Amino acid sequence: MCGIFAATGESAVADVLVEGLRRLEYRGYDSAGIAISGKGGIAVRKNVGPVGALATMLESEPAYGECGIAHTRWATHGEPSARNSHPHCAPGIAIVHNGIVENHGELRQELAARNAQFVSETDSEVIPWLVREELMRGEKPWAALQKAAARLSGSFAIAMLSEDEPGEIFAIRKGSPLVTGFTDGKAFLSSDLNALAGIARHAIALEDGDSARITPDCIDIRDHDGRIVNRPLLPVESRIATYDTGVHEHFMAKEIFEQPEVAARIDAAYHDGTLMEQLLSIDFSRVRRINFVACGTSYYAAAVARHWMQQHAGIECTVHVASEYRYEALPQFYSGEVAVLISQSGETADTLAVLERLQHLGMPVLGVVNDTNSTLARNADMALPLMAGLEIGVASTKAFTAQLMILAHLAIHATGRRLGAAASPGRLRDQLASTPDLLAKALLCEEGVIETARQLGDARSAIFVGRGPFQALACEGALKLKETSYIHAEGFAAGELKHGPLALIDEHMPVFALAGDQEMMPKLASNIREIAARNGRIHVIGDREAILSMKDVATGAITLPSAPDLVRPIITAIPLQLLSYHAALQRGLNVDRPRNLAKSVTVE
Ligand code: M6R
């Protein structure tokens, strides 16, 4: 999604801005641009397409200066075009903006009536014109930005240049992240801390409502009430994370194949339960209900965790999609109720809105989050790190299995707390310890998956079914397939088919049956037979035994290693991820950056 990068104190700032934008590319975008304060005023260069195209443009139309702002845009208001890309300008002002200005329609009308000249269709373009009006009233640029931002509804992270103060960057945020960074005589600003790795020695995250004035030697921050504040220093990685695919062709493949290593890292850190004890300030022996909240793939991880929590720890759980839960009428909470918010990025706008809402209501919030410097990690009452490493492919893969690993450890911890040794938490931990090895074995199914992807041919739809936790995996498999290959796919509880979806079945419909829930195997088998009776093309995904039990009705099978109950849902993710990867490749699609999607969904 949109990204901001800005720098001051750099002798050739254009190069630094382009490098900053490259570091934001993985988030997904459709156009890129920069503005530089130079001798002749502010120079703007922007273009639709990749950052590389902007870099080429800068070779023929260079822009010189020491201070600049830059942006990658993911279109929300107005098509991807040079005109709509950022920076947006008013005389003497250039801004870049992440977020959405919800009242842009009325502001646009009001400003146009006072001679503002809009050239784009974006919501963001009202911002420089609001700032300009404040400047005309005699405000200095920093105060002008604060006053302009006070007129905006919605969420924003804004970086601004003003011809009145060349060499300075002004910034303000509400609901969208911004991080400043500095090193000797240079200062930076970005929407993503990872972009500062190796170039800033220290970083400071702006808090909601903060604004900043950034010069090469000094970063001043004011809070929402205009008081000068000191915010804590954050560690910055000394080296940029490797943005290469290693021996793989794509980030998605690299991240799929990293999963055994990630699981081993997690197990080493969480296995003896000490880390969980240190990080949790919740006494699970008293918890009466857990409300899981997340989006997309993280939501499906929550849906699996619900089964584990209820089955092992006996704690009632609810699972919610954050975009709905942030607005839903909420029941009266119990005193022993907690929320678990799950997010790879820790910056998903809907999930953060839920965080704010629940904290306001006084409910303890546990974050399960990959980016430990993200807003969720910083603002949740406590956070469990996923330890998956940077995930670049838009389709979440290693973060999903890492979420499952951590949530399984959380369920074991809660089980031990509530039921003591009688519940054998040690046995469950031993089961989980076999995950890295079993993930490695599961990856051996790739050849079979390539063939299955081929058999999909030009299928336009696919169905995934499962029972128990495998229903959530069916939905995750469908999400993965649609996002990378653009094949329409749905996941269902297998028992639900006859209540409607069975009407979709004919000889052209591929159905993937996730045969992982051993207790429910006979039930799944009869659901599968109902599909077979209607000529559906059934691919069974499970261990040898499960496949044998459905041999007579299956068109194809993907074999997984036998695994303990707790681990089976985790390894079932592997063929689903590989299927979506290979189906996309076979269709010639960009697996790492599917159309219309962004890695970090920072707008509502
Ligand atoms: O960063 P988050 O985990 O909060 O992101 C949530 C979803 O946007 C994300 O999982 C999305 O569904 C993935 N692209 C799915 O592969």
Side-chain angles (χ1 to χ4, degrees), residues 295-298 343-346 348 394-396 403 479-480 483 601:
C295 299
T297 287
S298 301
S343 173
Q344 187 284 126
S345 61
T348 301
V394 164
S396 188
Q403 286 165 343
L479 173 66
K480 215 84 308 167
E483 86 177 311
V601 185

Side-chain angles (χ1 to χ4, degrees), residues 225-537:
D225 299 318
R227 288 178 298 239
I228 289 279
V229 285
N230 285 318
R231 300 291 182 212
L233 289 183
L234 296 175
V236 189
E237 293 295 331
S238 56
R239 282 187 309 153
I240 179 78
T242 40
Y243 279 25
D244 71 65
T245 58
V247 297
H248 298 278
E249 234 182 291
H250 303 96
F251 286 108
M252 186 175 174
K254 178 180 177 230
E255 288 157 7
I256 290 173
F257 279 86
E258 268 171 21
Q259 290 176 102
E261 183 190 322
V262 172
R265 194 183 307 145
I266 293 172
D267 202 59
Y270 284 92
H271 187 77
D272 70 0
T274 323
L275 185 62
M276 205 57 93
E277 295 279 350
Q278 282 166 4
L279 296 174
L280 292 179
S281 53
I282 303 172
D283 177 359
F284 273 89
S285 65
R286 292 167 189 276
V287 168
R288 292 176 64 190
R289 183 155 66 193
I290 301 175
N291 303 298
F292 288 104
V293 191
C295 299
T297 287
S298 301
Y299 169 82
Y300 295 126
V304 174
R306 178 174 74 91
H307 288 272
W308 289 334
M309 271 297 174
Q310 295 190 162
Q311 181 189 349
H312 298 294
I315 304 178
E316 181 194 344
C317 297
T318 65
V319 187
H320 306 272
V321 168
S323 55
E324 289 296 319
Y325 198 60
R326 62 183 289 185
Y327 296 116
E328 229 167 87
L330 298 178
Q332 180 109 38
F333 292 132
Y334 304 132
S335 63
E337 213 162 331
V338 298
V340 178
L341 270 51
I342 306 168
S343 173
Q344 187 284 126
S345 61
E347 299 295 354
T348 301
D350 289 319
T351 309
L352 293 181
V354 171
L355 171 70
E356 205 181 310
R357 185 178 192 199
L358 294 182
Q359 284 185 325
H360 186 69
L361 293 170
M363 189 183 293
V365 176
L366 165 63
V368 176
V369 57
N370 199 27
D371 187 339
T372 49
N373 290 308
S374 63
T375 310
L376 177 60
R378 287 197 314 272
N379 294 357
D381 301 299
M382 64 224 111
L384 299 176
L386 282 188
M387 302 181 164
L390 193 63
E391 189 180 68
I392 290 186
V394 164
S396 188
T397 53
K398 62 176 179 172
F400 178 64
T401 47
Q403 286 165 343
L404 293 180
M405 283 291 287
I406 304 280
L407 292 166
H409 273 295
L410 184 68
I412 296 171
H413 169 84
T415 305
R417 276 309 172 112
R418 286 171 78 83
L419 309 171
S424 315
R427 181 185 55 87
L428 293 173
R429 282 205 179 95
D430 290 345
Q431 285 194 6
L432 212 48
S434 63
T435 312
D437 189 38
L438 289 168
L439 281 169
K441 290 190 175 130
L443 283 164
L444 300 176
C445 73
E446 188 177 21
E447 288 230 337
V449 174
I450 294 174
E451 180 48 35
T452 309
R454 225 172 264 133
Q455 286 168 16
L456 279 180
D458 53 6
R460 295 182 57 85
S461 282
I463 286 177
F464 293 74
V465 295
R467 304 202 63 134
F470 295 88
Q471 180 204 340
L473 276 141
C475 295
E476 166 60 8
L479 173 66
K480 215 84 308 167
L481 189 66
K482 58 189 144 195
E483 86 177 311
T484 60
S485 71
Y486 316 154
I487 297 173
H488 171 245
E490 297 297 334
F492 297 107
E496 270 295 293
L497 283 186
K498 54 182 152 316
H499 299 290
L502 211 49
L504 297 170
I505 305 292
D506 62 14
E507 69 277 21
H508 305 296
M509 179 63 83
V511 179
F512 293 90
L514 310 187
D517 192 322
Q518 282 186 340
E519 272 182 28
M520 299 297 281
M521 207 61 83
K523 302 283 177 199
L524 180 72
S526 51
N527 300 143
I528 296 306
R529 290 199 159 76
E530 289 158 9
I531 299 168
R534 275 120 193 128
N535 297 328
R537 286 156 47 198

